[in-house]
Amino acid sequence: MKRYIFRTILLIFSFIIIACAKPKPQLINGMDYEKIIIGKWKAVSVGNILKQYNIELPSSLEFLKRNKFKYSFSKFGIQNNKEGRYSLNLSMRPVEIDFKQYKPKKAKLEGIIRFKDVDTMEIIFYYKSVMRRVYKFVEGDYQIYKRIKNS
């Protein structure tokens, strides 16, 4: 009887440990995209395509916990601010990123993203209604962001 109780307790304890364990992050080139994306990023280049739509520096992206984002850019010298939610598709190469913008108006954006290192992000995204998702990083077309260090 004692043996049965001990085995039952051991089985329950093992189940609790397994159920509470966090899934192992999916690493891409040794980086956990879901973790390193979080933070504030400042654009050093908006790329040639966005320049054609009169988007220019300064531009910044902030990725928050719970998959929220804030996007700020200059168009015709006027600062624009957007907010919403984002998702990463880590099973695709290059990694897909989707934005669901809620403020100031609803919109969907699609793109691709990669990290050169934990402080350098390269990304290309467009409004879904304007242009389809691209699957290739063409030199000069993508945006380059550098992480803003916490002070």
Side-chain angles (χ1 to χ4, degrees), residues 40-95:
K40 294 180 181 180
W41 299 84
K42 181 178 180 181
V44 293
S45 170
V46 294
N48 297 327
I49 305 278
L50 290 185
K51 284 180 186 173
Q52 293 175 10
Y53 291 96
N54 300 302
I55 294 175
E56 53 197 32
L57 299 175
S59 178
S60 66
L61 266 168
E62 182 175 6
F63 293 97
L64 307 160
K65 293 181 180 178
R66 294 194 222 22
N67 292 72
K68 293 182 179 180
F69 78 90
K70 294 181 181 179
Y71 178 43
S72 176
F73 61 92
S74 181
K75 185 171 184 173
F76 296 114
I78 299 169
Q79 200 64 23
N80 291 266
N81 298 301
K82 316 284 184 184
E83 291 182 34
R85 294 178 100 36
Y86 73 93
S87 62
L88 297 172
N89 183 351
L90 300 174
S91 64
M92 293 297 293
R93 296 295 179 272
V95 172

Side-chain angles (χ1 to χ4, degrees), residues 92-141:
M92 293 297 293
R93 296 295 179 272
V95 172
E96 294 178 344
I97 186 164
D98 292 324
F99 297 93
K100 289 185 180 177
Q101 177 185 304
Y102 298 128
K103 292 181 183 176
K105 62 180 182 174
K106 290 185 178 182
K108 291 184 179 181
L109 298 93
E110 296 179 332
I112 55 175
I113 184 172
R114 69 181 175 193
F115 291 91
K116 297 303 272 182
D117 54 56
V118 295
D119 293 322
T120 308
M121 173 177 61
E122 297 175 341
I123 189 169
I124 252 185
F125 60 89
Y126 305 108
Y127 283 102
K128 189 176 179 178
S129 60
V130 175
M131 201 167 168
R132 297 178 68 179
R133 185 190 323 265
V134 297
Y135 283 95
K136 187 175 181 183
F137 284 95
V138 176
E139 189 68 37
D141 285 352

